[in-house]
Structures are given as C-alpha cells and as structure tokens.
Amino acid sequence: MTTGFRAAVVLLSFFVFTPHASAQDTTPEGGKKHMTMEESLLLPSWGSYQLSPDNTKLVFTKREMDSEEWESVTHIWVYDLESGESFQLTNSARGESNPRWLPDGRVIFTSRRGEGEDAENRLWVISLQAGEARPFFDDEEAPTSGDFTEDYSKVAFTETSDRPDKEEWEEREKKRDDAYYAEKKLTYSHIWVYDVESGEKAQITDGEFDHSGPQWSPDGEWIAFTSNRTQSRMGDPDRSDNSDILVVSAAGGEPRNLTRPNRGPDRGPVWSPDGSLIAFTGSVTENSGASQSDLFVVPVSGGPPRNLTEGLDYSVSGVQWSEDGRDIFFGISKGLTSLFYRVAVGGGEPAVVLPDDDFIYGGVRLSDDGTKLLFTGSTLDTSGEVFIANVDGSDIEHVLSPTNQMEDFELARSELLTWTGPDGWEIEGILTYPLEYVEGREYPLILQVHGGPHGRFSKSFNSGSQIWAARGYAVLRGNPRGSSGRTLEFSNANVMDWGGKDFQDIMAGVDHVIGMGVADPDRMAIMGGSYGGFMTFWAVTQTDRFKAAIGHAAISDWFSFYGQTDIPYLLEFGFGGLPWVTKDVFERWSPIEHAENVVTPLLITHGEEDLRVPIPQAEQYYRTLKKMGKTVEFLRFPREGHGIREPRHRLFLDKEQSKWFERYVLGAGG
C-alpha cells in the first residue's frame, strides 16, 4: 500500500465515521458532556510543536471552528515551559501555519495575507517581544516552502516546469479549445535554489524526471533529493516505483545516484551532522503494495548502502540523526502501538528509547542542541498530550495538556483485545464499551473496518467510537491480516485474498465479543470507508448476520475499478497481475458478482469528486441492488473527495448514519 493511499484511508477512519447528536443532548443534567459530531468538530486541534533554540518555549498551532459559519481558522501560539503560560502569537483573518524557530528566536510561518481573494501565500516572520509580522522576503515571487541552509541564506525548493507549448495552450484554454490526451506528461517537478540576499533563483535539475524533498548538506554545498529515474508512467505496463536518493551540487550539474543497486523505492534523505553520510528509508521490494521500509545509510562519496534494521521486521519512518552523528533515531508502528528507536550508525541491535505504556507516542522531534526529545502522546481516553524527555528517553515530563485530558467529557471504556483468526494467527483489535455499560447485559455492536487494506487501528483516542458508545453501541475495531504494524508476512498475508481470511479475521473478532457477553448477536452492524467500504459491501454478500451496513467510498467491482482509480498498481499487486490476466481473481472478490446474496439494508455514501475510488463504483452497486429489489439508499456529497471534509456535510452524514442504524439495528421506526 502506498503511503498516500494509507494516509487517505486512515483519514477516512477519523473523519467520516464519527457520528452526531444534537447540541442540546451533549450534557446530561448534572454531568459531563457526551461526545457528538458537533462537539468533536468544535474541539480545537493542536499541532506543529517545536522547541525553541534555547529549549525554553514551544511554538505550535491551534485550529478552532466557528459554530455559526462552520469555518475554521488556525493561529500560532507559544507556550513558556518555565511559567507554564501560553499566549497567541498571530491573529490574521486567514490564519497561519507551519511555524518554525529562527536561530535568533523569532518565528517564521506561512500565511495568506493581504486584501481580496488574490492575496498570495508567503513566508512571514514575527518577534515574540512585540510588533506585527512582516514578510520574510521582500520578493513576492520568493518560495513559500522548502529547505533552508543552516545560515538561512538560501532555500532549496521544487517547482513544476511550464508546458513546452505553454503560450499555445493558454490561448486554447481561452477559446475553450482545450481537449487533451490522457496520461501525456508535459510538466516535471524540478529543484530550484533561491538566494535570499540577491532574490535570484536558479534551476538545479532538468530532464524528464520528477524531483522531490530537497535537503541541504550541512556546509550548503550539496543538495540531496528523491527521484524516480525509471521514466515509467502510471499507465505503463512496466511501471516501476523504484525511486532513488541522488545528490547534486548546489551550483547545478549532473546528479549522482547513491542508491541505484536497490530496486525498491528509496526516499527521505537526511544528512549526517558532518555531511559524510545520508540516512534514508528504503524497501528492497519493487512494486509491492505492502512492502516494509528499512533504515539505510550510504556514504555521500559513494559505496553500497547499509541496512541498519534488516533484523527488525517492521516498517521505519521519521529518521533523525543524533547531534554527534553516532546514532540514528526512527519510529515504527507495531501492532496497536508505536515505538521510537535509536541505532548506532555502525550497526547493532536497535534500542527502544520511549516506553510502551498506556500512551502511543508520536511526532518525536530532537531539539536543536540534540539534548531533548519533544513528542505527543495519546491514549484510548485522551488525545494530544505533550511531553519532553532527555534524548535517551529518561525523565519524561508531561508539559502540556491541550484537551485538559478530555475532562469535560464522560467517556466510555475501551479495551485492547486479541483473538484467534484462521490458521491460528493472533488478531488484535479495540473494543469500546457502551457508555452506560452494565456487565452481563448484551448491547448492539458496530464492527468498524479500516481502509487500506494496509491501514490499522491503534490505541489512540478515537472520537467516533466514543460517539457511538454514547448512543449505546459497543464498537469493535480490528486489524485483520494485511494491516500495517505487523510483520512483513502478516502485511502480505491477504494478497490475492482480499475478502477471504481477512474477512474471517474480523468476523472471528465479532464472535469473540459475543462470547464475552458484550454484543447482542441479533443487533449488529458493519461500516467502513475505502477498503473498509469494500469490506462492508463484501460482508453483506457473505453473511446475513448484520442488521444494517454503511459503506463509504467503497469498491464494488475490482475489474472496472482498475480503469478508474489513480492507484491501479495496487490492484496488480493485490490480485497477482493485471485484471485481464488474473480475471478470475478480480471477479472472485468483487461484491457486485455476489449482489444477489445481499439481504442486509445498505446505506451507500460517496463524494462526487473522489479520484481514489471514483463514484461509479457506488453507482453501479446501488443500481444493481436497487434493480434486485434490495433495501439500499445512496447518499452523494458534492465537492467531496475520498473523505468527507465540509463540516455541514459531516454533520448531515452523521445524522443519516445514526438514523440508519436506529431503524434497522435498534428497530426504531420498524
């Protein structure tokens, strides 16, 4: 599964399936509030934490929602670690983002300021002492993002080249004579360098390749970046995801490929403090939808990359160097949790730095002087706590609780579970009990299925489960085979079997919760988005155990999906070949091929601008079931893509989801 797809479907798990109740019933008399969609939207969102150069302050962003207009704005705040006080640093109408500390203690950030809709996004800088923000560059054509040299004299950034026929094409667009051939690539992303003092910029790379993630060497003489040099395209039968790490002189010239021997995707170069080595993540497998990323180091002067995590059967991310260049830090997802490691650059056994306790820690950043770790933590009961520790993980200090540890809400209990799937495999999941749970009583159960298929649920706070629990439902979220955060064998165990044993894994979880005496087997529902939507569509063709189902952005026909989606290569991996080569596999696991078996009332929801799972997948399933006389409804959302983002859409979706389950699971209204 590609990172982009995984990110999209994990986003769906958070944003789409968090239900709603009206404002007046959020606070029981004399008690705390219950979580609702409205309450979850109105909860501020914090992020982008960074320690100041002297380790005395935090800069961060805070996003708040207006409950009348349902529009949000993000501003920058500062927290003083010594006094324990916070203050708002910026307050422009359109908001600000991406704050970073300058060496002199000022804060640089991105904002769209000025009059009218044509205001340009620019970099701004502000002092903590007093005064208004001012543009960081006097040049309005200066870049708004990129990597600065250590002295902030230059910026390396990417910019998309013009079409070769730019003037002719612009004239054709004006005349509305703008037909074009599909998948004919005419523009490429190149690396440029902007000189802060002179205001001049120079293109550093060329050719028919895309380039991304430029990173300066410590001495400012070289730039490392990622590029796929295979010259293959999305629609090519021999498409390759074999990207490499290259370096080029800051003055331009021919790039040097440092990772050519590795046939899998390499990405994310990070320079060692002395500039002699580059660390990066890479996979040894080409065109795998569920490959793992290992941590590699390679000499800038040339030579074979060394794999520092070959014996660690988990995927690596978030690479950072220690200040002395002797160690490299990185994170992994492991089961329902995440871990932060360090490993010696010379090799050896990776060591866990932060504990695996109730919290799932993430967003770990080293301080500028390399002595401190800044990170956030979430549990099943609270979200977004902020911590600081020594670089070895000792003396963890809880410094900030933006949500006040969710003390304003009455929350349902959640529990980590394991059960046995087919072949004796251990499957992990999370059960959230109904808010007013009474032991010995059976409750309606909602089975939620994550996207991917290589996504996962973790032991972090989940507002959606809490809202359903406040309505009296138990919620089960399982990580069947194919989920990320497990071994390579586990992540690949559903190849050519999408809907097979992974479906049996989650149904075994349902039986486990029934066996615990929590779930009422006669009042169960299933819901999911993206791959979870497919699994919902699939489940109702395989069993009549669910009284209701809701599938969002779901796949109904894998064969046609191959020609519609922006990630067709995922299917080539998942189904063992091209659809006309392994047609029987594509059809075997397509819900539409088994539509006559559906007896469960199904609500289909979909964004009309979805490019990942285009809406014809919903249309054809809906039309088929409707013609067959099945109980099915189809809810469409204009302007929405793979996830539902507009607040009013989310509120309406939640209301309709709740009504669907009330009618068919709880039996309200027959």
Side-chain angles (χ1 to χ4, degrees), residues 94 113-119:
R94 293 183 177 89
R113 300 186 172 199
E115 299 297 329
E117 295 298 324
D118 295 330

Side-chain angles (χ1 to χ4, degrees), residues 294-551:
D294 285 310
L295 170 63
F296 292 85
V297 290
V298 62
V300 177
S301 59
R306 291 185 292 114
N307 188 342
L308 301 184
T309 57
E310 190 171 8
L312 190 66
D313 199 1
Y314 296 94
S315 204
V316 169
S317 62
V319 176
Q320 302 176 73
W321 285 86
S322 65
E323 183 68 14
D324 59 13
R326 296 179 179 177
D327 298 299
I328 301 175
F329 296 89
F330 61 91
I332 67 165
S333 297
K334 184 176 183 181
L336 298 170
T337 190
S338 295
L339 298 176
F340 189 66
Y341 282 83
R342 70 187 299 164
V343 65
V345 70
E349 188 72 19
V352 176
V353 177
L354 297 176
D356 181 16
D357 50 25
D358 288 340
F359 284 92
I360 178 170
Y361 298 113
V364 186
R365 297 181 63 92
L366 272 70
S367 60
D368 287 350
D369 63 6
T371 64
K372 298 290 184 180
L373 299 175
L374 173 68
F375 51 98
T376 59
S378 175
T379 71
L380 294 169
D381 301 317
T382 187
S383 176
E385 306 299 296
V386 184
F387 301 85
I388 291 178
N390 293 328
V391 72
D392 62 358
S394 63
D395 296 331
I396 295 177
E397 181 183 0
H398 186 191
V399 297
L400 193 60
S401 180
T403 63
N404 197 28
Q405 296 183 306
M406 304 302 291
E407 289 184 355
D408 293 337
F409 293 91
E410 184 179 2
L411 299 177
R413 175 167 63 97
S414 295
E415 179 182 352
L416 307 183
L417 300 180
T418 60
W419 60 85
T420 302
D423 309 318
W425 282 25
E426 182 180 85
I427 308 300
E428 298 175 315
I430 302 166
L431 173 66
T432 299
Y433 290 82
L435 184 58
E436 305 296 339
Y437 175 70
V438 176
E439 188 172 356
R441 181 181 300 174
E442 294 180 339
Y443 291 84
L445 174 72
I446 298 174
L447 172 64
Q448 292 190 338
V449 189
H450 67 61
H454 308 298
R456 69 161 184 153
F457 291 117
S458 68
K459 62 177 185 180
S460 58
F461 182 77
N462 184 278
S463 60
S465 297
Q466 288 294 332
I467 301 165
W468 285 117
R471 286 176 170 152
Y473 295 90
V475 181
L476 176 64
R477 294 174 287 141
N479 289 334
R481 66 193 68 203
S483 301
S484 60
R486 297 284 292 271
T487 64
L488 183 61
E489 180 187 10
F490 189 91
S491 296
N492 282 268
N494 64 342
V495 173
M496 300 182 70
D497 193 42
W498 290 4
K501 289 183 178 179
D502 53 356
F503 171 64
Q504 296 176 43
D505 286 338
I506 59 175
M507 293 306 294
V510 169
D511 290 334
H512 181 74
V513 177
I514 292 172
M516 293 170 62
V518 175
D520 181 347
D522 295 322
R523 293 186 296 166
M524 300 195 304
I526 183 172
M527 67 190 312
S530 198
Y531 188 83
F534 150 72
M535 190 61 78
T536 300
F537 280 11
W538 175 256
V540 295
T541 71
Q542 303 299 303
T543 180
D544 61 0
R545 296 179 65 185
F546 298 109
K547 301 304 179 184
I550 303 175

Side-chain angles (χ1 to χ4, degrees), residues 49 130 170 202 259-260 482 508 542 578:
Y49 295 100
E170 289 176 348
T259 60
R260 192 186 307 276
Q542 303 299 303
L578 296 165

Side-chain angles (χ1 to χ4, degrees), residues 481-660:
R481 66 193 68 203
S483 301
S484 60
R486 297 284 292 271
T487 64
L488 183 61
E489 180 187 10
F490 189 91
S491 296
N492 282 268
N494 64 342
V495 173
M496 300 182 70
D497 193 42
W498 290 4
K501 289 183 178 179
D502 53 356
F503 171 64
Q504 296 176 43
D505 286 338
I506 59 175
M507 293 306 294
V510 169
D511 290 334
H512 181 74
V513 177
I514 292 172
M516 293 170 62
V518 175
D520 181 347
D522 295 322
R523 293 186 296 166
M524 300 195 304
I526 183 172
M527 67 190 312
S530 198
Y531 188 83
F534 150 72
M535 190 61 78
T536 300
F537 280 11
W538 175 256
V540 295
T541 71
Q542 303 299 303
T543 180
D544 61 0
R545 296 179 65 185
F546 298 109
K547 301 304 179 184
I550 303 175
H552 178 81
I555 300 95
S556 62
D557 184 349
W558 291 112
F559 196 96
S560 63
F561 181 64
Y562 179 84
Q564 298 167 349
T565 183
D566 62 350
I567 51 168
Y569 50 86
L570 175 65
L571 276 66
E572 296 176 36
F573 166 76
F575 293 125
L578 296 165
W580 50 90
V581 176
T582 60
K583 185 177 180 180
D584 58 330
V585 182
F586 277 76
E587 292 181 345
R588 166 69 179 88
W589 302 113
S590 291
I592 203 165
E593 297 288 336
H594 312 276
E596 70 277 2
N597 297 332
V598 175
V599 296
T600 302
L602 174 65
L603 175 62
I604 299 172
T605 65
H606 216 110
E608 292 187 340
E609 304 300 322
D610 192 346
L611 298 180
R612 182 55 42 87
V613 182
I615 200 168
Q617 287 294 311
E619 292 169 334
Q620 62 190 15
Y621 204 50
Y622 171 72
R623 183 60 58 210
T624 299
L625 294 179
K626 197 73 171 177
K627 284 290 186 181
M628 290 180 174
K630 310 295 184 179
T631 303
V632 59
E633 294 290 348
F634 184 15
L635 184 55
R636 304 168 66 104
F637 290 89
R639 301 178 302 282
E640 299 285 11
H642 200 48
I644 304 303
R645 299 178 181 274
E646 294 183 21
R648 286 188 174 90
H649 277 171
R650 292 170 63 184
L651 290 167
F652 182 74
L653 170 61
D654 164 69
K655 181 177 66 174
E656 296 306 304
Q657 289 176 330
S658 179
K659 287 164 57 178
W660 193 259

